[in-house]
Every structure is written in C-alpha cells, then in structure tokens.
Amino acid sequence: MKKYLYPEKEQWEVLTTRPTQSYADIEETVKAIFKEVQKNGDTAIAKYTSFFDGVIIEKTEVTTKEIEEAINFVSADLKEAIALAKSNIEKFHAAQQTGKVEVKTTVGVYCWQEKRAIQKVGLYIPGGSAPLFSTVLMLAIPATLAGCNEIILCTPPNKNGTVDPAILYTANLCGITKIYKAGGIQAIAAMTFGTQSIEKVYKIFGPGNQFVTVAKQIATQYNVAIDMPAGPSELLVFADTSAVPAFVAADLLSQAEHGSDSQVVLVTTSKAVLKSVESEIKNQLNELPRKEIAQKAMENSKLILVNNIQEAIAFINDYAPEHFIVCSKKETFFVENIRNAGSVFIGNYTPESAGDYASGTNHILPTNGYAKNYSGVNLDSFMKSMTFQKISEKGIQNIGKAIEIMAEAEGLQAHKNAVTLRLKSLKNGN
Amino acid sequence: MKKYLYPEKEQWEVLTTRPTQSYADIEETVKAIFKEVQKNGDTAIAKYTSFFDGVIIEKTEVTTKEIEEAINFVSADLKEAIALAKSNIEKFHAAQQTGKVEVKTTVGVYCWQEKRAIQKVGLYIPGGSAPLFSTVLMLAIPATLAGCNEIILCTPPNKNGTVDPAILYTANLCGITKIYKAGGIQAIAAMTFGTQSIEKVYKIFGPGNQFVTVAKQIATQYNVAIDMPAGPSELLVFADTSAVPAFVAADLLSQAEHGSDSQVVLVTTSKAVLKSVESEIKNQLNELPRKEIAQKAMENSKLILVNNIQEAIAFINDYAPEHFIVCSKKETFFVENIRNAGSVFIGNYTPESAGDYASGTNHILPTNGYAKNYSGVNLDSFMKSMTFQKISEKGIQNIGKAIEIMAEAEGLQAHKNAVTLRLKSLKNGN
C-alpha cells in the first residue's frame, strides 16, 4: 500500500492514472483471428477454442440435456439466492422503462421520441477461475425486459468441454436458450460476423480480459456496437471517522481479489482512519484464499489523506471510480457532488458486494476513468431512441418559411425546394 | 436510378449494403496527425490548418470582436428563422429530461438511478461548401440543457481565416463562447489530447467527412467517447398511391444534394407511383443549383417495387435508414412496426427538411445501418446514468445471505467476507 499525505494538486494526474496497457501487440492477434473467423466460421472457432481453451468442442451450442443436468446440479441454497438477486435486479431495471416523449413544438408540428429494443444482442460471460453467473443476471435481465428479439450468450468451455452449471442454470432461468461454448477473441468475432452456428448480433455486451476488450473495440469497426470499453475493476472508498475501519478494509480487499491489476483507493480526511484501515487490511489479508492476487493488487493500492471534503470530492471526480463507497457524516455532500462514478454505495452497511450480486443495481460499470463519459449497463443499453414527426398542412405553413430561409443560407436548395413545393401546393388549394 | 421490381429476399443483402469505404489508408494519416498533435499541440494544429485549410491562423480562438461582427452580419430574416428553430428544438429536447428512478428492491435496500451531465464536451461543425449552423443548434441546445460544464466548438476556418457568420451567431445565441478555428483530423486530435489553447474533452459530437469519422474512431482509443460513427447521409421513402409524387421526388433530391455518396431509396407497393416519382425526379433535377452532386447521388439511388407492406417493412428494417419518410394509407402499420430507423417522417406534409432544421427533432442520426444499434443525438447523449444505493442494517440482513452464497459460488471469498463481517457485527449488537 502506498500512502500519500496531503498530496498537491500537481500530483493528482499521477494519482488518477491507471496502469497503461499495451494494446499494440494484441491488436494484430485480434485482427488476424477476426479475419479467420470471418472467412472460416465455425472451423476457426473450433481451432481457437482448442488453442486457447485447450479443449476440442464438437458441438458449439449447449444442448437441452446439458442445461437440464445443470438445473439438477445447482444447490437449492444457490437457487434461492439467485432468485432473490433476480427479483431485485428485475425490479430496479423494470423501473427504468421510459414512456413516449410527445411534444407539439408548434401548432401542427407533432414530434415524439420512443425507445425500441435492439433486435439482436450478444452477451459475453468470461470463463477463468470464477464462474460469473451473476454477470448472466446483469445482462440477461435488462435484455429480456427491453424486449430484444434475439439474445445469444457466449462463454468459454472449461478444460473438459463443459460450461459451469451455475452459468447454464442462470441463463436458462432468464430465458436465454441459445448458449454457445466459445470464448475470448473468437467469440467476439463470431458474434460480429456470424458463423454457421452462431448468429451475428447488433450489439455485444459483457466484461472480459484484455483480449476480449480489444476484440470488442475491433468489432466496432464492423458495424457492431458495444456496451463500453472495459478495464480492470476499481473501488474508491471515502471514509471519515464515522466509518467502521474493518468494513472499509473488507471492501477494499473484496475489490483487490478480482485480479492483481485491480485498482483500490482510500481517500480520507482523517489520519487515524487511514492508519486503522491500513492495519485492518493487514489483519484480514492473511485469511483470504485468494490472498496472493489480493496482496499483489494491494501493493498498487493508494491510501490518500486530504485536507477537507471539498478536496476529496474534487479528487474523486477527477479519478472517476467504477465503484465509489462513501462512509461519511457528510454523505449528502458527496451524493450531491459526485459527478463521475459508475455506482455509488452509501453508508456502513452498503458493501460493494451488494451491488455486485443482489441489491438490484447493475455491476457492469465503466472503469479506467470512463465514468466521466459512459453509463453503466442499464435498460437503455439494450434500446435505442428513435424520433418521429408528423406535420399537418397548418404545421408546414407555420414552420415552412423558417426552413426555407435556413436551407437557403446553408446553400441547400433542394432542401428548401421540398418545402416550397408543399407551400405552393397549399396556396393553390391542392 | 436503378429499378428493382419485386426483388427476391436473397437480393436484400446487396440492396441494403452501403458502398464500403477504405479506411486503411486514412487510418495511418489520422494516427500520424494524432501523434503530432499530442506532442506539439497548437503548433501541430497551425501546421495542419495551413496544410488542409490553406490558411495561416495566428489565434485559434474566435475573438469577441469576430462574434460581434457576425451578429451584425446575419440578416434579420435568418435570425428570426433560427429563433423559431431554436425554440422548437429546445422544447423537444427539454421534454426528454428524465427524473430520478427510485426503487426499494427489498425492505432496507434503496437503489436509485440519476443522470448527470458529461462535464466537458466538444462539438464539431464541418466546414466546406455549406456552413452548417443548423448543426450548431442540434448540438449546443441539448448540451446546454443537459448542463455540461464546459462546451467547446471546433470548426475549420475558410480560406481567408474566418468562420461563417451564421455559425458564430448561432453558437453565441446558444451560449457557446469557446469557439476554435480548427477542423478535420487536427480538431478531433486537439479535443482528444488538449493543446495550449484547446481544452481536452470527455466526449466529441458532430458530423464530418471520412477523415473526421476515422479520427473520431481513433479518439475512442484515448478514453474519449463519441456520439456515433458517421457515414454519408441517407433517406428511404415508402410511398403508396396516397403520396404526392412531386413531394416524394423533392424529398429524395433534397437528400441527394448532400453529397455524391448520399443514399437515396424509394420503396413502393405501386408500379404507378414508382413511375411517376421517377419522372418527377427527372423534371426537378434540372432546376437544382447543386445538380451535379445530386445527379451523381441519384445514379446510385434505388427505386424498389415490393409485393406488399409486410415485405416493405421487413426490407426497411433490414436497411435501417437514417431518415425514413412514410406516405401511406397504412402509416400506422409502418409507425408501429418500424424497428430500425434514425428518424421517421409521417405524411405528405412532413419533409425531411423539417427535421433537418426546425421541427424540433435532432438531425444528427445514425447512418450506414447503425440505426440498428445506435440512437440519434438526444438529451441523454450529453449525460450518463449513475446508480446509487443505500442499505440499512435491516437491509443487509435481508439480502446478506444471498450475497454470501453467490460470492462463495463464484469463488470470491473476500466479496463474501465484506458481508459476513457486517452481519456478525449486527448479530453481536455492535
């Protein structure tokens, strides 16, 4: 842990900088695999699944039998927990539905905005050490609520060619029936171009390692949209003397166990809090099973002492954390003034884990400072807003002259003419 | 004009394909200029302004004096037209404001979503033959309504080093005071990295030629967001016998005058309508000042006859037009079933020009099939949604067990521990 006592504002740029990743090498690999998948489809998928995941898959699509087996395999306790989480996530995302926005801007000019679902979406669930069935909930629930017509899910198979039962169980529970054993770059390429067995989609969602991240960025060059650029997970906690140091330490460590590149930051106005959180971290670290990962992440963590809450919030907005926990007597000040954060957790009994799993909010959030310009995944991520307008004869007479003048001033005569013809026709009583 | 009578579904892929553009060469140029601007700032901007725009600019920022002169220069008629357009655009975009979404997902678990403005945004207004002051309205109005703290505008200077008065007048009217004479790749690079005189922004908006489009895509590799990938403008009209052929022809031509690469498509269920629109186009084309551009675009235009309205809407959704005009006895059918379009114009008195200028809707819309997965610019484009949660002691007791079980099942012990500590503390009555 690195301590910074009353850093000068000149230091902020360094303190808010995340470790840069070299994408240049990866980019070439990604482009090559994209080309191969575009050309050879399923054959290329099988090749790279064998290469990266170390297993030969004969049928990419998960069978009904596999799903049924998964349903039997998952414990009753876990099913109950998932049901609670699903219910809360559904409530929160359903409430995000917005109605038609209708405005009569001028007499006879009716404009409205409506949101309609993106028809084909692809959900990516990473493999690796932790089977992220919670991410299935976070993507499948809003996709279904939005009304997307085709929802497919790709996730890498493990060494024996299967998918974690909890992932299959959760996907099935959310109504996702098209599940494919494909991961990494080749899965993103498959959803971008389509293969014999995997459908092309319009938008790709989900977290992933740096290969998946670069693959998603390359996908955008082929008319596919993505949820957001992803990076290693982050947590920033602001704590004053009202915070429980053991809780703060536990939250910081929960973030650190995600990976050795996780970003963990404490900002405080109290030297005593800084010290006690530091010592709590040391105590708790020893008892974690994923101690090595967490310890490595904690080496890069920052404990920052600042002069006052104004300085604190200015720094936090500059950092733009993915997750922001505030345990402070002045929590209202922070809630009102936070501008850049993915998700905000307020008070001693609101651990980040709650939002990761079961409170109802989404856990796919902007990292790496992207909270300055990106939303976390929400219902609107699965929709697009379209505008409509209907103008009456009276309406075009009301705004027609303005259009003619503006089109003429922009040198667009045919734009003007489209109005002039109509106005003339109305004048002539046609 | 190319005519397609009752095309088979197999032909749709060709009919919906836009001419592909080779970005490979441009990409190298863009990357080189980005590097130079990142390193040399204003010096690089001046160099490329001289190179591309053919003028040496001493002061990049537009002065108050230049703005005052512009205000005097713009005619009273044009000022009045702009005022009407501004009022309508403001009404429509202000109505898009959404409130806090608050949900108590479980007793003691309070989650809410709030939208907050992106703090720093950059608006790009292209130069060239037409001074697009209307685009200033379309970007500056929602940016201001959203509450963006810093709004800057870049636009290329013309040969004598000035900016079109209508652009300056409109920007000033909308409250934009930081206006820079910089265009093309170098302007996008300046807003991405910041220079001595131009501020770095978090999100870049606005249309542009293919150089600007590629530059915006490259900008996303440097933590900057963009409104959408842009391409040549498009219009698809569905017309049946209720349509006025002269109006349809005028609308198609208004789109064609944007550029020789504009996409213009007529879909109809009536052979007679196809014929009369075709002959109207020929008549009207001769009278246009931008005849050459429009004629070239019309060469690539498509007149498509289909069997029925079901086939029509299926094709239109597959094409996903930027602008979609529907003049049909069955307009309700089309309005209800259109899934993929940027903006929809309904009826004989709703020309696309209305939405381009003055009805109130935004004219920055997804092209090139991106209406399948992108929204047009709207109020939300200038905001990001953030989530908040506050959990009480009772609340964490209600959902804590579910979190523990799920975290354990994902192998994330520290996530579980953050909850366990709190539950224990409550049990012990601390």
Side-chain angles (χ1 to χ4, degrees):
Chain A
M1 288 171 285
K2 288 170 191 159
K3 277 172 280 186
Y4 300 87
L5 308 183
Y6 308 113
E8 294 296 318
K9 212 175 164 184
E10 290 72 50
Q11 279 181 271
W12 286 16
E13 198 178 332
V14 174
L15 290 178
T16 57
T17 300
R18 277 68 156 184
T20 47
Q21 300 176 316
S22 163
Y23 282 178
D25 299 343
I26 298 178
E27 204 175 322
E28 289 313 305
T29 309
V30 170
K31 281 184 176 171
I33 296 177
F34 263 57
K35 271 194 186 150
E36 213 172 320
V37 171
Q38 188 175 24
K39 197 177 157 204
N40 300 329
D42 282 345
T43 315
I45 302 296
K47 174 181 160 186
Y48 286 106
T49 300
S50 161
F51 187 76
F52 289 119
D53 303 307
V55 60
I56 290 164
I57 296 290
E58 300 206 341
K59 194 175 174 335
T60 313
E61 189 169 356
V62 171
T63 62
T64 318
K65 192 164 164 272
E66 286 175 290
I67 292 170
E68 278 164 12
E69 281 167 6
I71 294 171
N72 291 329
F73 188 90
V74 173
S75 74
D77 269 4
L78 184 52
K79 281 178 183 166
E80 207 182 309
I82 291 173
L84 176 78
K86 180 168 181 274
S87 162
N88 287 348
I89 297 164
E90 272 171 354
K91 279 181 210 164
F92 188 59
H93 288 77
Q96 293 166 21
Q97 244 136 8
T98 44
K100 208 191 247 194
V101 176
E102 283 180 283
V103 183
K104 186 175 75 176
T105 55
T106 299
V107 174
V109 180
Y110 302 88
C111 300
W112 68 98
Q113 181 196 46
E114 275 185 61
K115 286 177 187 160
R116 298 201 172 172
I118 296 171
Q119 294 180 290
K120 303 177 185 188
V121 298
L123 317 182
Y124 183 75
I125 306 297
S129 53
L132 298 180
F133 59 86
S134 61
T135 304
V136 178
L137 293 172
M138 297 297 173
L139 293 175
I141 292 171
T144 311
L145 283 172
C148 300
N149 305 48
E150 290 181 29
I151 308 172
I152 69 168
L153 188 152
C154 286
T155 190
N158 53 33
K159 291 265 179 270
N160 50 20
T162 61
V163 172
D164 187 90
I167 288 179
L168 294 185
Y169 169 76
T170 310
N172 183 67
L173 185 72
C174 296
I176 311 299
T177 51
K178 290 181 175 175
I179 306 167
Y180 301 98
K181 293 173 188 171
I185 303 166
Q186 63 271 24
I188 305 301
M191 294 192 276
T192 301
F193 301 116
T195 70
Q196 295 84 340
S197 61
I198 302 174
E199 294 88 341
K200 174 183 163 58
V201 300
Y202 300 157
K203 190 168 181 176
I204 299 172
F205 295 80
N209 59 21
Q210 53 187 340
F211 292 97
V212 170
T213 300
V214 175
K216 281 169 68 186
Q217 282 210 313
I218 299 291
T220 65
Q221 294 175 15
Y222 297 93
N223 283 36
V224 175
I226 60 169
D227 50 356
M228 70 187 82
S233 200
E234 309 165 349
L235 170 64
L236 185 149
V237 179
F238 176 85
D240 62 20
T241 50
S242 73
V244 181
F247 296 175
V248 174
D251 291 334
L252 293 169
L253 285 168
S254 77
Q255 191 56 31
E257 80 174 335
H258 270 303
S260 55
D261 54 0
S262 288
Q263 296 292 304
V264 175
V265 181
L266 171 72
V267 176
T268 180
T269 42
S270 155
K271 209 167 192 169
V273 168
L274 189 144
K275 280 191 179 170
S276 41
V277 170
E278 190 184 12
S279 93
E280 275 292 342
I281 290 173
K282 284 179 187 158
N283 294 343
Q284 293 181 26
L285 191 57
N286 287 319
E287 287 159 38
L288 290 180
R290 289 166 74 107
K291 185 185 160 185
E292 273 176 46
I293 291 175
Q295 194 150 27
K296 215 169 167 197
M298 290 312 291
E299 280 166 21
N300 294 317
S301 71
K302 301 180 182 86
L303 309 179
I304 302 173
L305 183 65
V306 296
N307 289 296
N308 51 51
I309 56 172
Q310 286 74 22
E311 198 177 300
I313 194 73
F315 176 81
I316 296 163
N317 278 326
D318 206 20
Y319 186 88
E322 179 192 14
H323 303 100
F324 169 41
I325 296 183
V326 52
C327 295
S328 167
K329 285 171 282 190
K330 307 277 186 177
E331 64 179 39
T332 311
F333 170 82
F334 285 94
V335 169
E336 279 173 4
N337 291 290
I338 183 72
R339 285 284 165 273
N340 305 321
S343 197
V344 183
F345 301 74
I346 304 153
N348 279 317
Y349 292 94
T350 314
E352 191 216 298
S353 313
D356 283 343
Y357 290 109
S359 62
T361 59
N362 209 291
H363 77 201
I364 300 168
L365 299 166
T367 56
N368 199 22
Y370 278 113
K372 287 178 180 170
N373 42 21
Y374 279 84
S375 305
V377 165
N378 61 80
L379 189 67
D380 278 350
S381 311
F382 295 87
M383 310 188 89
K384 59 219 152 62
S385 86
M386 288 164 56
T387 52
F388 297 80
Q389 63 200 285
K390 186 167 184 175
I391 303 177
S392 68
E393 300 181 3
K394 183 76 198 153
I396 197 69
Q397 285 171 321
N398 282 334
I399 64 169
K401 199 187 156 202
I403 300 169
E404 289 180 313
I405 292 169
M406 291 173 78
E408 172 113 43
E410 287 193 353
L412 295 171
Q413 207 63 36
H415 280 64
K416 179 184 177 184
N417 195 45
V419 173
T420 309
L421 266 184
R422 286 164 166 98
L423 293 180
K424 267 190 193 158
S425 145
L426 288 171
K427 214 171 172 183
N428 299 337
N430 293 336
Chain B
M1 288 171 283
K2 290 168 190 159
K3 276 173 279 186
Y4 301 86
L5 308 184
Y6 309 112
E8 295 295 317
K9 211 175 165 185
E10 290 73 50
Q11 278 181 271
W12 286 16
E13 198 177 332
V14 173
L15 290 178
T16 57
T17 300
R18 277 66 157 186
T20 48
Q21 299 177 316
S22 163
Y23 282 177
D25 299 343
I26 298 179
E27 205 176 322
E28 290 314 303
T29 309
V30 170
K31 281 184 178 170
I33 295 177
F34 263 57
K35 271 195 187 148
E36 213 172 318
V37 171
Q38 188 174 23
K39 197 177 156 204
N40 300 330
D42 282 344
T43 315
I45 302 297
K47 174 181 160 185
Y48 287 105
T49 300
S50 161
F51 187 75
F52 289 119
D53 303 307
V55 59
I56 288 163
I57 296 290
E58 299 207 342
K59 195 175 175 329
T60 313
E61 190 169 356
V62 170
T63 62
T64 318
K65 190 162 165 273
E66 285 175 289
I67 294 170
E68 278 164 13
E69 281 167 4
I71 295 171
N72 290 329
F73 188 89
V74 174
S75 74
D77 268 4
L78 183 54
K79 282 179 182 166
E80 205 182 311
I82 291 173
L84 176 78
K86 180 168 181 272
S87 161
N88 287 347
I89 298 164
E90 271 171 354
K91 279 181 210 163
F92 188 58
H93 288 76
Q96 293 166 20
Q97 244 138 6
T98 45
K100 209 192 247 195
V101 175
E102 282 181 284
V103 183
K104 186 174 74 178
T105 56
T106 299
V107 174
V109 180
Y110 302 88
C111 300
W112 68 99
Q113 181 196 46
E114 275 184 62
K115 286 178 186 157
R116 299 202 171 171
I118 297 172
Q119 293 178 291
K120 302 178 187 187
V121 298
L123 318 182
Y124 183 75
I125 306 297
S129 52
L132 299 180
F133 59 86
S134 60
T135 304
V136 178
L137 293 172
M138 297 296 173
L139 293 174
I141 291 171
T144 311
L145 283 171
C148 300
N149 305 47
E150 289 181 27
I151 308 171
I152 68 168
L153 188 152
C154 286
T155 191
N158 52 34
K159 292 265 179 269
N160 51 21
T162 60
V163 172
D164 186 271
I167 289 179
L168 294 184
Y169 169 76
T170 309
N172 181 67
L173 184 71
C174 296
I176 312 299
T177 51
K178 290 180 174 176
I179 305 166
Y180 301 98
K181 294 174 189 170
I185 303 167
Q186 64 272 23
I188 305 300
M191 293 193 276
T192 301
F193 301 116
T195 69
Q196 295 85 338
S197 62
I198 302 175
E199 293 87 341
K200 174 183 164 57
V201 300
Y202 299 156
K203 190 167 181 177
I204 299 172
F205 295 80
N209 60 21
Q210 53 187 341
F211 292 97
V212 170
T213 300
V214 175
K216 279 170 67 185
Q217 282 210 312
I218 298 292
T220 65
Q221 295 175 15
Y222 297 94
N223 284 37
V224 175
I226 61 169
D227 49 356
M228 71 187 83
S233 199
E234 309 164 349
L235 170 65
L236 185 149
V237 179
F238 177 85
D240 63 19
T241 51
S242 73
V244 179
F247 295 175
V248 174
D251 291 333
L252 293 170
L253 285 168
S254 77
Q255 192 56 30
E257 80 174 334
H258 270 303
S260 54
D261 53 0
S262 289
Q263 296 292 304
V264 175
V265 182
L266 171 73
V267 177
T268 179
T269 42
S270 156
K271 209 167 191 170
V273 168
L274 190 144
K275 280 191 178 170
S276 41
V277 169
E278 190 185 10
S279 93
E280 274 291 343
I281 289 173
K282 284 178 188 160
N283 293 343
Q284 292 181 27
L285 191 56
N286 287 318
E287 287 160 38
L288 290 179
R290 288 166 75 109
K291 186 186 162 186
E292 274 175 46
I293 291 175
Q295 194 151 27
K296 216 169 166 194
M298 289 313 289
E299 280 166 21
N300 295 317
S301 70
K302 300 179 183 86
L303 309 179
I304 303 173
L305 182 65
V306 295
N307 288 296
N308 51 52
I309 57 171
Q310 287 75 20
E311 199 177 297
I313 194 72
F315 176 81
I316 295 164
N317 278 325
D318 207 21
Y319 185 88
E322 180 192 13
H323 303 100
F324 170 40
I325 296 183
V326 52
C327 294
S328 167
K329 284 170 280 191
K330 307 276 186 178
E331 65 179 39
T332 311
F333 170 82
F334 284 95
V335 170
E336 279 173 4
N337 291 289
I338 182 72
R339 286 283 164 271
N340 305 320
S343 197
V344 183
F345 299 76
I346 304 153
N348 280 316
Y349 292 93
T350 315
E352 192 216 297
S353 313
D356 283 342
Y357 291 109
S359 63
T361 58
N362 209 291
H363 77 200
I364 300 167
L365 299 165
T367 56
N368 199 22
Y370 278 114
K372 288 177 178 169
N373 42 20
Y374 279 84
S375 306
V377 165
N378 61 79
L379 188 66
D380 279 352
S381 311
F382 295 87
M383 310 188 88
K384 58 216 153 66
S385 87
M386 288 164 57
T387 53
F388 296 80
Q389 62 199 285
K390 185 167 185 174
I391 304 177
S392 68
E393 300 182 2
K394 184 77 196 152
I396 197 70
Q397 285 170 324
N398 283 335
I399 64 169
K401 200 185 156 204
I403 300 169
E404 288 181 312
I405 292 169
M406 291 174 78
E408 173 113 44
E410 287 193 353
L412 295 172
Q413 207 62 38
H415 280 64
K416 179 185 176 183
N417 195 46
V419 173
T420 309
L421 265 184
R422 284 165 167 97
L423 293 180
K424 268 191 193 157
S425 146
L426 288 171
K427 215 172 170 184
N428 299 337
N430 292 336

